[in-house]
Amino acid sequence: MIKSENLVYEYKRNISDNKEDRIRVLDGLNIDIEDGQFISIVGHNGSGKSTLARHLNALLMPTGGTLWVNGMDTSDENNTLSIRQNTGMVFQNPDNQIVASVVEEDVAFALENIGVPTDDIWRRVEKSLATVGMIKYREDAPNHLSGGQKQRIAIAGILAMKPRCIVLDESTAMLDPGGRKEVIDAVRELNSKEHINIILITHYMEETIYSDRIFVMNRGRIVMDGPPEHIFSDISMLKKYNLEAPQAVYIADRLRKEGFVINKPVLSMDDLVSVFADYKIGVGNVDRGKKS
Amino acid sequence: MSIEVRNLNYIYNEGTVFEKQGLRNINLTIEDGEFIGIIGHTGSGKSTLIQHFNGLNKPSSGTVLYNGDDIYKKGFSKKQLRSKVGLVFQYPEYQLFETTVLNDVKFGPKNIGLSEEDIDNNARDALEMAGIPKEMYNVSPLELSGGEKRRVAIAGVLAMKPKFLILDEPTAGLDPGGKNEILSLIDNLHKKDGVTIVLVSHSMEDVAKYATRLVVMNDGEIFISGTPGEVFKKYRELEKIGLSAPQTVYFLKELKNLGYDVNTDIITPDEAVREIVKKIHVKRI
Amino acid sequence: MLRDITIGQYYPTGSIIHKLDPRVKLAGTFLFIISIFTFENFLGYVVSLIYLGTVIFISGVPLKYILKGVKPIIFLIVFTAAIHLFFTSGDDVLWKFYALKITFTGLKKAAFMVIRLLFLITGSSIMTYTTTPNRLTEGIEKSFGPLKKLHIPVHEFALMMSLALRFIPILMEEADKIIKAQSSRGADFEEGNIFKKISVVVSILIPLLVSAMERARDLALAMDARCYHGGEGRTKMKPLRYTEKDYISYCIIFVYMVSSVAIGRFI
C-alpha cells in the first residue's frame, strides 16, 4: 500500500553566484494505491514521473508532505532498507543496472546486500530466474543478452527480495517491440499470479491499456486519474498534456466525430472490431443510406 | 543522384575465432527523392548496413557506389561523401561535446573545410530547421532536455547540407511530443528541402505513415522490399521473422472478415477512418 | 579498433587449474614471481620452467595464447636487455666500441632479465587465463580481508575492480560508436594540423566521459535501490571455500619454493 499526503519535492538551482532558484518537481501529490494493483503513470518528459518513482523506494526524500510505503514513512532513514526490499525498481537503461558479470550473481546482488544466508540465496535466485523465464541463461554473461532479457534479469533481481511492489521507470523505453512485450508480459503475470503491485511508467500508451488505473502527470501534479477507459475517453485532454492515445482509441474517437455510435469503451483494435461485429448483428445498426 | 549497394557482404572480426557474417549479398539502390524505411528486429543488420552508405564500414566483398563512383576506390574523398550522405546515429545526443549549441553544430561544416561565413550560416540554418530557438544557441548542450539535445545533434549533421540523410532510430526513448517533433522535422526535410531520407525504425506505424519504400532486413539479408502497401500485405511472412504489420492493417482485415467491403491495402489510421466513413453505412448521429 | 585490447582474458577449458580457489592461484603466482627474482644461477630457472610448463600443460590453455600476452611487452624486454647488456660494468669485457662495451657479467644479467620478464608475464597470464575476473576479485578481497581491521576499504576496492571489469567492454563499444559518429561529421583522424587533431580527440573524449559519468550515476542509483550499503553484514552467493585440491596445491607450491630457491641460490 502506497499513500501520500501533499507530497512536495523541490530542489535549488544556482542561476548565478549568489542567486538561487527553487524548482518544484512534485507539487502536492495525494496518491492512494491499494495492494495488488497495476498502475500506469504517463506524462511528458519533465512532468515529474521519475521523481515520483524515486520517492517510492526512498532514493529521494520528500521536501514537503509525507509518503508512506507499506505504512512506513519514507523520510525516516531507519525505514530505508525495508522500503527498498518492499518496493523494487527497474530503471531505463538495461546495461547500467547490471552489477555482476554472471546472470545469477547479478540476481543475487540484493540478497547478498541484505544478508540472506548462502543456501537461501541459491533457492531464491533459482526461483526468480524461473519466474521470469531466464533460468537457462543463469551462467551467461549479461553483455550477450538482448535488452528485453536484461530487463527481465533486473526484474528477477528484485523478485528475489520478495517485494510487494515493482516500479518500472521507463524500463521499456530503450527496447525494441519484442523486448517491450517480454517485459510487459512478465510484469502482467507477476501482477495477476503473485499479486505484486506494478507501477509502470511509460511513454507507450499501448502498454497502459491493461492497467487498473492510469495517472496522468503534468507539472508535478496528477491531472487525470482513473481506469484506462476513462482516461482514453477524452483525447483532447491527453493532447493538452502532450500525450497520444493508442491507435484504436484514436480511430474510435475520429469515428465518433463522424457520427458513428460507439457505446462501449474502446482500448484495443479487438474492441474496435467487436464494435463493427455488433453493427452486423444489428446493435446500433440501421443503414443510413447516403445522407450526412 | 543515388547510392547503390552491390553484392555487399560484411563479416565481423574477419579472420578471428569470433568471425560472424553480418550482411549477406545485399543489393539496393537508393534514388534521389525517396523516403526509405528500413525495418527488422535488433541484430538483423540494419545498423551495419547503413554504416556502409557513408563508408564507415568496409565491406568484406562487394561495394557501394555514390553517383556511380566506387566509394572504396583509392582517392575517393570520404570526407566529402560524409557531407553529402549524412548519418545520424542512435542516441546521437551522446556525441555532443562543445561548450555551446552553436559551436557543436559548427563541428561538421568546419571539418569539411567551409569558409567561416558558410560555417556560421549553415549552422544557424540547421538549428532553425531543427526548431531550436535562438536563445539556446549559446547555452551548453548539456543543459537541454532530451528531445532538444536530440534535435541539436541532428542539426549537427544537417549543417553539412547533406543530400541524403540516414537516421538510425531517431525517436528511440523520446516522449510522444519529442517523437512527433523529430518525425515532422524529417518529413519537412523530405518534402520541402528535397532531402532523400533513409529511416531505420522499429515502429511500423511511423514507416507506414512516411516511407515511400520499405526494406525489411532479417539475419543480415534483405527479406522483402517494396512499397509499404506491398510489404504489409505480406504480414504473415513478417510475423515469421518476429515483426508485424501496423495495427490498422489487422483492423481492416478483420472488418473484411466480418463481411464489410473495405480496401485492405490501407495502412494508416487516417486513411482507415476515411475508408470506413465512405464504405460502411450504419446509422450515425 | 579498440576492441583489440584484451584485459584479463579468460580461456575456459574446465581444467583442475581453473577450478582451484583463486586465493591459491594468487599465492602461487605471487610466490612464483618472488622465486624467479631470487635465483643466482640458471639451474633455478630450469626448475621454474619445468614447474611453469607443467602448470600450462595441465591448464589446457594453448601455448599460442599464452605467448600472445608477451607480444605487447617485447619492446620493454628488448630495451631492458639492451641496458643491462651495454651498461653493466665489469672486467670480463667481451666486446668494446667507444663507450659501449659488453661484459660477461652484462650478458648474464641481460639473459636473467629476459628470462625473468618472460616468466613474469607467462606466469601471471596463466592466472588470468584460468580465473574469471570476478573470481580473481573475490580472491583478492578475501586474501586482503584482514586489512579491513586497519580501516582499509578492501571490499569497496574489490567491488570497484569488478564493476570496472564489467563496464570496460561496454565503454569500448561506446568509444567505437562515438568515433564513427564523429567521423560521420567529417572528423579526420589522419590529416590536419595539431590543433585540428586535438579538437578531434576532444570530440571523442568529452562524450565518452559524459556517458561514463552518466552510467556511473545510474549504476549507483540501481545499487542503492537494491539495498547496497557497503560490505557490512553482506553475505555471498558463492563464498570461497578451500577443498582438498586447494590444500594439495598449497603443498606443491611450498615444495616448489623450497626446491627452486635452494637450487637457484645455493648450488
Side-chain angles (χ1 to χ4, degrees):
Chain A
M1 201 193 69
I2 294 164
K3 192 171 152 56
S4 80
E5 250 176 43
N6 204 22
L7 176 64
V8 172
Y9 182 75
E10 283 183 333
Y11 67 91
K12 289 179 192 147
R13 187 177 66 169
N14 291 328
I15 313 178
S16 59
D17 287 343
N18 42 22
K19 256 180 86 180
E20 271 181 353
D21 195 4
R22 293 170 82 84
I23 311 270
R24 190 169 264 226
V25 193
L26 296 180
D27 190 11
L29 288 186
N30 291 298
I31 50 174
D32 194 344
I33 299 172
E34 286 158 43
D35 273 346
Q37 286 212 305
F38 193 122
I39 310 275
S40 294
I41 305 181
V42 297
H44 61 82
N45 280 341
S47 59
K49 306 182 300 289
S50 290
T51 307
L52 173 59
R54 281 169 198 187
H55 277 81
L56 297 180
N57 73 347
L59 286 172
L60 288 175
M61 306 265 179
T63 54
T66 322
L67 173 67
W68 294 274
V69 172
N70 215 11
M72 294 176 280
D73 183 343
T74 62
S75 50
D76 182 350
E77 283 189 23
N78 295 322
N79 292 336
T80 302
L81 276 184
S82 328
I83 288 171
R84 287 179 184 164
Q85 278 180 58
N86 182 81
T87 305
M89 184 123 156
V90 185
F91 294 86
Q92 185 179 38
N93 190 325
D95 280 325
N96 296 359
Q97 52 189 319
I98 294 177
V99 181
S101 304
V102 181
V103 165
E104 60 183 8
E105 287 173 21
D106 190 70
V107 175
F109 182 70
L111 300 181
E112 294 179 330
N113 289 334
I114 54 180
V116 175
T118 301
D119 293 344
D120 275 355
I121 294 183
W122 281 87
R123 256 197 303 280
R124 283 159 77 165
V125 165
E126 212 156 287
K127 188 161 175 274
S128 8
L129 275 172
T131 309
V132 299
M134 290 295 291
I135 195 84
K136 68 176 174 195
Y137 298 99
R138 60 186 303 168
E139 286 175 8
D140 284 21
N143 286 354
H144 300 142
L145 301 177
S146 73
Q149 291 174 326
K150 284 179 198 163
Q151 294 298 53
R152 282 193 282 155
I153 299 291
I155 294 172
I158 292 163
L159 214 51
M161 291 192 284
K162 299 184 179 161
R164 293 173 69 166
C165 178
I166 297 179
V167 182
L168 294 103
D169 187 6
E170 293 190 30
S171 311
T172 55
M174 296 180 79
L175 308 181
D176 64 3
R180 287 210 294 274
K181 192 169 178 303
E182 281 173 42
V183 171
I184 296 297
D185 286 351
V187 292
R188 279 183 68 194
E189 198 177 310
L190 290 177
N191 178 247
S192 61
K193 288 204 181 136
E194 323 251 334
H195 306 290
I196 294 174
N197 213 329
I198 302 292
I199 297 180
L200 172 73
I201 296 176
T202 185
H203 289 315
Y204 295 100
M205 298 297 158
E206 266 82 6
E207 296 173 356
T208 67
I209 63 173
Y210 310 105
S211 2
D212 298 310
R213 261 165 96 185
I214 299 178
F215 295 162
V216 178
M217 285 190 71
N218 192 49
R219 291 164 181 255
R221 287 168 177 270
I222 291 176
V223 287
M224 294 171 85
D225 169 5
E229 48 276 16
H230 169 73
I231 300 290
F232 294 127
S233 64
D234 191 353
I235 289 196
S236 60
M237 282 293 274
L238 287 176
K239 277 231 174 78
K240 198 175 121 194
Y241 301 123
N242 224 340
L243 296 171
E244 277 179 336
Q247 282 209 341
V249 177
Y250 172 79
I251 294 177
D253 185 67
R254 292 272 317 265
L255 289 174
R256 279 196 190 101
K257 286 190 181 124
E258 292 287 343
F260 282 80
V261 181
I262 300 174
N263 289 326
K264 54 181 173 188
V266 170
L267 295 174
S268 64
M269 286 293 175
D270 287 346
D271 297 340
L272 204 51
V273 170
S274 87
V275 168
F276 282 86
D278 286 352
Y279 290 156
K280 275 285 169 190
I281 55 164
V283 182
N285 172 25
V286 178
D287 201 315
R288 69 177 173 98
K290 279 281 176 189
K291 67 172 200 273
S292 92
Chain B
M1 269 182 304
S2 67
I3 299 173
E4 205 182 329
V5 178
R6 277 196 194 159
N7 306 322
L8 186 126
N9 283 281
Y10 181 76
I11 299 165
Y12 289 109
N13 302 311
E14 213 174 345
T16 72
V17 277
F18 304 108
E19 192 172 288
K20 198 181 140 224
Q21 182 104 23
L23 294 172
R24 197 171 293 135
N25 199 30
I26 305 279
N27 282 290
L28 176 69
T29 306
I30 300 162
E31 300 284 359
D32 211 9
E34 282 194 291
F35 191 130
I36 293 186
I38 301 188
I39 54 182
H41 56 81
T42 308
S44 59
K46 303 178 305 257
S47 300
T48 315
L49 174 62
I50 59 168
Q51 288 172 17
H52 282 87
F53 294 166
N54 73 349
L56 284 175
N57 284 345
K58 195 164 168 20
S60 306
S61 71
T63 192
V64 177
L65 308 179
Y66 179 71
N67 290 338
D69 292 329
D70 189 340
I71 67 167
Y72 298 105
K73 217 170 52 193
K74 236 187 156 181
F76 188 94
S77 167
K78 291 260 170 62
K79 220 192 261 186
Q80 287 308 314
L81 173 72
R82 285 168 192 166
S83 72
K84 296 290 165 242
V85 182
L87 177 56
V88 177
F89 271 72
Q90 214 178 29
Y91 301 103
E93 55 273 27
Y94 284 108
Q95 73 196 29
L96 302 175
F97 70 100
E98 273 282 7
T99 46
T100 70
V101 165
L102 187 63
N103 280 344
D104 203 283
V105 175
K106 283 178 175 176
F107 183 67
K110 246 186 220 165
N111 283 331
I112 54 172
L114 298 185
S115 72
E116 205 58 56
E117 205 190 328
D118 283 346
I119 292 173
D120 198 62
N121 286 340
N122 279 12
R124 284 171 193 277
D125 283 355
L127 282 166
E128 208 183 311
M129 267 192 265
I132 302 294
K134 284 205 168 58
E135 52 279 15
M136 283 186 187
Y137 287 10
N138 286 316
V139 303
S140 160
L142 297 180
E143 281 173 36
L144 306 181
S145 77
E148 287 161 353
K149 276 186 200 166
R150 184 80 52 99
R151 279 182 285 140
V152 169
I154 294 176
V157 173
L158 291 180
M160 299 190 293
K161 304 249 178 224
K163 303 276 181 246
F164 292 81
L165 186 65
I166 300 149
L167 304 108
D168 194 351
E169 289 183 54
T171 61
L174 295 181
D175 64 354
K179 188 184 125 187
N180 287 334
E181 279 166 356
I182 302 269
L183 286 174
S184 60
L185 162 65
I186 298 170
D187 195 38
N188 270 335
L189 285 168
H190 180 239
K191 291 212 175 89
K192 288 193 190 140
D193 303 282
V195 178
T196 307
I197 305 285
V198 177
L199 176 69
V200 175
S201 178
H202 280 307
S203 165
M204 300 300 156
E205 274 70 26
D206 293 346
V207 291
K209 192 167 170 190
Y210 297 104
T212 55
R213 187 152 65 102
L214 291 186
V215 174
V216 185
M217 299 283 296
N218 184 45
D219 203 14
E221 286 179 302
I222 295 183
F223 184 66
I224 319 176
S225 80
T227 65
E230 287 164 9
V231 170
F232 289 136
K233 233 181 192 160
K234 300 177 184 160
Y235 59 88
R236 279 187 203 284
E237 281 167 68
L238 291 179
E239 283 163 6
K240 268 184 223 154
I241 58 166
L243 300 175
S244 58
Q247 292 185 30
T248 309
V249 172
Y250 295 102
F251 172 49
L252 286 165
K253 190 195 66 157
E254 287 297 328
L255 288 187
K256 185 111 186 171
N257 287 348
L258 284 173
Y260 292 104
D261 176 32
V262 288
N263 176 6
T264 51
D265 291 347
I266 281 167
I267 55 175
T268 67
D270 288 334
E271 288 172 320
V273 169
R274 276 197 294 275
E275 177 74 4
I276 289 168
V277 170
K278 208 167 74 187
K279 298 272 185 66
I280 299 183
H281 306 298
V282 294
K283 184 186 162 192
R284 293 198 263 168
I285 43 167
Chain C
M1 56 184 99
L2 284 163
R3 266 174 256 179
D4 298 340
I5 305 170
T6 53
I7 298 166
Q9 259 195 349
Y10 178 62
Y11 190 97
T13 65
S15 78
I16 190 161
I17 307 275
H18 287 72
K19 287 178 191 142
L20 286 179
D21 190 290
R23 284 169 291 178
V24 176
K25 286 185 264 188
L26 274 168
T29 310
F30 182 65
L31 290 173
F32 176 75
I33 290 169
I34 289 184
S35 77
I36 55 176
F37 280 92
T38 56
F39 300 155
E40 284 170 351
N41 63 36
F42 283 103
L43 264 179
Y45 292 109
V46 175
V47 179
S48 292
L49 186 64
I50 294 169
Y51 174 70
L52 188 62
T54 316
V55 172
I56 292 174
F57 178 75
I58 297 173
S59 78
V61 179
L63 200 62
K64 190 179 80 183
Y65 267 82
I66 291 165
L67 293 178
K68 226 166 73 181
V70 179
K71 233 162 104 187
I73 57 140
I74 279 182
F75 173 76
L76 184 74
I77 292 178
V78 172
F79 182 74
T80 335
I83 288 203
H84 280 96
L85 194 57
F86 294 119
F87 297 104
T88 308
S89 51
D91 303 326
D92 43 359
V93 179
L94 297 172
W95 178 79
K96 204 173 163 171
F97 184 74
Y98 295 103
L100 294 178
K101 61 177 180 193
I102 295 178
T103 64
F104 184 71
T105 329
L107 192 65
K108 202 174 142 188
K109 267 193 171 173
F112 270 35
M113 220 48 221
V114 170
I115 295 173
R116 279 173 187 167
L117 284 172
L118 281 176
F119 279 20
L120 178 84
I121 298 301
T122 43
S124 39
S125 62
I126 198 68
M127 176 175 72
T128 56
Y129 276 127
T130 59
T131 321
T132 62
N134 264 34
R135 295 274 289 165
L136 204 56
T137 311
E138 277 165 28
I140 293 171
E141 180 176 355
K142 195 94 190 221
S143 307
F144 290 91
L147 289 181
K148 279 180 196 160
K149 292 208 175 75
L150 304 172
H151 297 290
I152 294 171
V154 178
H155 161 75
E156 282 75 7
F157 278 126
L159 184 75
M160 267 162 55
M161 261 178 65
S162 73
L163 287 176
L165 285 166
R166 194 187 112 58
F167 276 88
I168 282 170
I170 294 175
L171 287 173
M172 296 250 187
E173 210 166 289
E174 180 117 2
D176 242 12
K177 207 181 117 185
I178 293 170
I179 290 171
K180 278 181 167 173
Q182 305 299 29
S183 305
S184 286
R185 295 211 277 165
D188 196 327
F189 296 91
E190 277 118 45
E191 285 166 43
N193 59 32
I194 182 90
F195 293 108
K196 268 228 162 116
K197 273 195 183 138
I198 288 173
S199 120
V200 167
V201 170
V202 167
S203 80
I204 287 155
L205 286 183
I206 301 263
L208 201 55
L209 198 70
V210 170
S211 135
M213 305 245 282
E214 200 165 294
R215 285 180 194 280
R217 211 179 46 213
D218 282 1
L219 189 68
L221 267 180
M223 287 170 63
D224 272 348
R226 282 157 80 188
C227 300
Y228 180 74
H229 56 284
E232 208 179 313
R234 242 182 148 249
T235 47
K236 287 266 182 194
M237 182 187 196
K238 297 172 183 169
L240 293 177
R241 276 189 201 121
Y242 286 129
T243 59
E244 201 175 36
K245 58 182 180 302
D246 299 310
Y247 294 119
I248 296 172
S249 305
Y250 272 128
C251 295
I252 296 173
I253 293 167
F254 178 75
V255 171
Y256 161 76
M257 279 307 281
V258 172
S259 60
S260 68
V261 173
I263 293 171
R265 277 191 87 95
F266 305 115
I267 290 184

